[in-house]
Amino acid sequence: MTKQSRRTFLDWLLRGGLTAWFASIIYPVFKYMIPPDAPELNISQIEAGTLSDFPKGSSKIIRMGRTPVIVLRKKKGDFKALEATCTHLDCTVQFKTDTEQIWCACHNGFYDVEGRNISGPPPRPLGQFNVTLKDDKVIITKKDLA
Amino acid sequence: MSNIYQWINERLELDDAIKFAKKKRVPVFYGTVWYYLGGVSLFLFAIQLVTGILLVLYYQPGAETAFESVKFIVSKVEFGWLIREIHSWSANLFILFVFFHMFTVFFAKAYRKPREMTWITGMLLLVLGLAFGFSGYLLPWNELAYFATKVGSDIAGAIPWVGEFMLRVLRAGDEVTGATLTRFYGIHIAILPGIFTILLVMHLMMVQFQGMSVPPEIEKIPEKDRKTIPFFPDFVLRDFMIWLIVLNVIALLAVFFPWELGQKADALAPAPAGIRPEWYFMFMFQTLKMIPAHVLFLEGELVGVMFFAIGGLIWFFVPFLDKKAHVGIRSRFWTWFGIFLVVYIIVLTIWGYLV
Ligand code: HEM
Ligand code: FES
């Protein structure tokens, strides 16, 4: 081994060591900042209230696990439950009773009462939930489980 | 007095520091007023430090306490309203003056060699300033801030590849919750002030060492024919004068135009009409609003984010892109680019407030 190559070797050893040392500090800090996965609360069914909580043409927002769900009763009397989070940028939507449409105030997005995006920026329809009545209880279930 | 000065001087060499400050001379010409803008921004940041630290004494982060503690500050604590008002007003003026400062520096071509790094550190300070504003906006935990934060972080989530990760790191989870508030608080009062201060010191050191730049046409005048004044004490005293005026203006604004606290945030309430970000994000917000849901095969949100990301990068690296400035020529292209940007920001901001 010449003197020159020994020096290059030591140089690299030092640089590699410093890099590894630095990485060993950065890595935990970086990982620490990422929040741990919260277990998805596996709620597939929830009671939204009783019939008397829902006069015709009214709505209520409830929470199913981590998802806000808008439960509404049309003027004709039938129920509908949709994901309440706008597909545009995450605002919470509201039910406009007069026109029977769902409105997102953030950027003036409209959905029809079935959750289809009809005007404004929302790119996708709202997620669907099932509504069933058990005696006078209004029960909301996840679609795939119903 | 002079004994104290001597005592310190013998240990810390004050004479040298003053000699250094006196050596720098500030050019006097039609653009001299621009040189005050950076100083005003600096002063406003100092106000933020002082009032921010005072707010920390009573503010309690957390979904159940934040709103209540701000209410307590403004209604129960003596002069609490004043401290909060000044913090809010000065935050907004800070961003405004940083914008003014940036554009005057841009049109004076002050970013050209050897001041590229001064421009880069300045840009980083602006980004941190915007982050200060974005994180601070959520802290009172009111309805407006809650939804603005949801929307703002959702936009960050649209960035390709890193979006999902950014969104979770920003929100400290998948949703905007009390955990987000705690995180924003930490970012707002510890992380940002720390990084900001380091960059600010670098920025100021560079300005101090390199002296004030003059636009290319002034530079052509022979040095002996240019008028200058010493930085210390002449210019510094003028700086102080202006700061005094700024402080008075803020006090007046705080008293006569208070910032509303609004309604407490409620995760189960629908978003109210009139959700908007702070005014300095309005031009971006309005752009996103105008882009249709889909552009060709891409989601509109993504197109908007890419548009601003590319624009921001170009602006960031202007010192390296504008090759003409280095040889003292005003490039038409970059001047028009700057004018376009100013007009774009103003028009879309106003538009955003009208609709
Ligand atoms: C070290 C510096 C700072 C500290 C310690 C600090 C601290 C705080 C605290 C405790 C609050 C919550 C109380 C409240 O909402 O009134 C707050 C709010 C806020 N801060 Fe700061 N801050 C600092 C710097 C800044 C800067 C540089 C900006 C500039 C953009 C800024 C912008 C805001 C805004 C917009 C709010 C919300 C005001 C409101 O609506 O009440 N802060 N800050
Ligand atoms: S978040 Fe609903 S329209 Fe933008």
Side-chain angles (χ1 to χ4, degrees):
Chain A
M1 228 189 213
T2 63
K3 205 170 168 190
Q4 195 55 43
S5 66
R6 193 176 308 143
R7 171 165 298 168
T8 323
F9 174 73
L10 285 176
D11 239 23
W12 278 106
L13 200 67
L14 192 63
R15 269 183 226 172
L18 275 177
T19 311
W21 176 77
F22 194 65
S24 73
I25 294 176
I26 291 297
Y27 182 74
V29 173
F30 183 73
K31 280 302 217 188
Y32 179 86
M33 291 194 304
I34 305 168
D37 268 318
E40 173 66 71
L41 302 169
N42 229 335
I43 299 173
S44 54
Q45 184 170 15
I46 197 164
E47 198 184 305
T50 58
L51 263 181
S52 57
D53 294 334
F54 290 94
K56 286 177 188 170
S58 73
S59 70
K60 192 170 145 188
I61 296 173
I62 58 161
R63 195 174 270 289
M64 181 129 160
R66 270 188 270 149
T67 321
V69 176
I70 183 163
V71 183
L72 55 93
R73 190 163 184 204
K74 301 177 202 167
K75 272 183 253 175
K76 280 186 290 174
D78 44 337
F79 279 90
K80 185 83 201 169
L82 298 160
E83 202 170 319
T85 308
C86 181
T87 56
H88 180 220
L89 298 177
D90 235 16
C91 280
T92 311
V93 297
Q94 55 187 289
F95 182 48
K96 301 272 274 182
T97 19
D98 44 349
T99 52
E100 294 230 309
Q101 279 176 332
I102 290 162
W103 180 50
C104 177
C106 282
H107 315 101
N108 214 19
F110 281 95
Y111 303 85
D112 68 11
V113 75
E114 301 303 320
R116 287 179 291 243
N117 45 322
I118 48 177
S119 82
R124 281 181 304 277
L126 295 170
Q128 304 271 337
F129 289 85
N130 278 328
V131 190
T132 42
L133 291 177
K134 205 184 243 164
D135 305 324
D136 69 335
K137 292 198 190 82
V138 182
I139 311 280
I140 313 299
T141 43
K142 278 199 180 155
K143 196 91 184 178
D144 46 327
L145 296 165
Chain B
M1 198 51 197
S2 72
N3 275 344
I4 299 173
Y5 179 85
Q6 270 317 322
W7 194 93
I8 300 175
N9 187 32
E10 279 161 23
R11 286 155 185 87
L12 298 176
E13 317 210 4
L14 286 185
D15 281 350
D16 281 357
I18 291 175
K19 215 163 91 199
F20 178 65
K22 276 188 170 155
K23 206 183 102 209
K24 185 173 120 168
R25 298 189 68 88
V26 179
V28 178
F29 67 109
Y30 62 85
T32 303
V33 280
W34 302 336
Y35 296 141
Y36 295 107
L37 295 172
V40 170
S41 312
L42 175 67
F43 175 63
L44 291 167
F45 180 69
I47 294 186
Q48 289 309 90
L49 275 182
V50 175
T51 51
I53 290 169
L54 288 173
L55 288 171
V56 169
L57 300 184
Y58 286 105
Y59 178 80
Q60 303 178 355
E64 301 310 319
T65 50
F67 184 81
E68 288 75 4
S69 72
V70 176
K71 209 164 181 168
F72 180 78
I73 292 174
V74 298
S75 60
K76 295 275 164 41
V77 181
E78 282 198 65
F79 295 110
W81 61 273
L82 184 63
I83 302 297
R84 172 172 185 255
E85 289 303 329
I86 292 181
H87 195 74
S88 301
W89 267 111
S90 161
N92 283 281
L93 292 176
F94 171 73
I95 304 276
L96 184 70
F97 275 92
V98 172
F99 267 110
F100 284 156
H101 175 51
M102 176 180 78
F103 279 113
T104 56
V105 163
F106 177 84
F107 289 115
K109 311 274 173 188
Y111 52 75
R112 67 190 193 280
K113 193 183 165 195
R115 297 185 178 77
E116 298 95 326
M117 291 309 290
T118 318
W119 171 266
I120 297 282
T121 49
M123 278 302 292
L124 291 173
L125 287 170
L126 170 68
V127 172
L128 291 180
L130 296 174
F132 256 120
F134 185 67
S135 56
Y137 199 46
L138 181 67
L139 298 185
W141 199 244
N142 53 21
E143 232 175 10
L144 202 65
Y146 173 76
F147 283 108
T149 304
K150 271 180 90 119
V151 171
S153 48
D154 198 276
I155 292 170
I159 301 171
W161 304 299
V162 293
E164 187 60 30
F165 165 80
M166 295 257 296
L167 182 120
R168 280 180 52 79
V169 169
L170 268 179
R171 289 185 177 178
D174 295 312
E175 303 281 334
V176 175
T177 59
T180 320
L181 183 54
T182 304
R183 180 158 292 209
F184 273 38
Y185 182 60
I187 292 173
H188 189 81
I189 73 152
I191 299 179
L192 289 175
I195 305 176
F196 193 98
T197 305
I198 295 171
L199 282 166
L200 182 61
V201 169
M202 289 168 64
H203 192 74
L204 294 178
M205 295 269 278
M206 285 188 243
V207 174
Q208 216 52 29
F209 279 117
Q210 300 182 325
M212 310 310 292
S213 108
V214 287
E217 42 309 342
I218 304 286
E219 204 162 48
K220 291 200 180 75
I221 304 172
E223 192 125 11
K224 60 176 177 27
D225 296 337
R226 286 190 236 154
K227 225 181 127 211
T228 61
I229 52 169
F231 175 70
F232 186 86
D234 302 46
F235 192 76
V236 170
L237 285 176
R238 282 161 220 225
D239 260 335
F240 281 151
M241 269 280 291
I242 291 178
W243 294 0
L244 214 67
I245 297 170
V246 169
L247 187 63
N248 282 302
V249 170
I250 293 177
L252 287 175
L253 289 170
V255 171
F256 293 108
F257 302 95
W259 293 80
E260 299 286 329
L261 184 51
Q263 296 280 317
K264 183 178 171 173
D266 173 1
L268 285 186
I275 287 298
R276 49 183 163 71
E278 299 228 82
W279 60 268
Y280 39 86
F281 293 121
M282 192 50 125
F283 71 98
M284 297 193 242
F285 183 75
Q286 182 60 23
T287 307
L288 284 179
K289 220 158 125 177
M290 286 172 4
I291 296 176
H294 295 279
V295 179
L296 303 177
F297 54 93
L298 295 168
E299 260 193 32
E301 202 181 337
L302 177 67
V303 174
V305 168
M306 295 303 288
F307 176 70
F308 285 113
I310 292 167
L313 278 179
I314 292 176
W315 192 245
F316 200 91
F317 289 112
V318 143
F320 306 100
L321 299 173
D322 180 359
K323 300 255 191 286
K324 280 193 183 154
H326 298 308
V327 287
I329 303 170
R330 274 185 180 279
S331 142
R332 286 276 181 110
F333 173 78
W334 287 105
T335 303
W336 280 108
F337 188 85
I339 293 173
F340 169 77
L341 196 65
V342 174
V343 173
Y344 185 87
I345 292 178
I346 294 177
V347 169
L348 270 96
T349 304
I350 295 174
W351 194 347
Y353 279 96
L354 290 184
V355 292

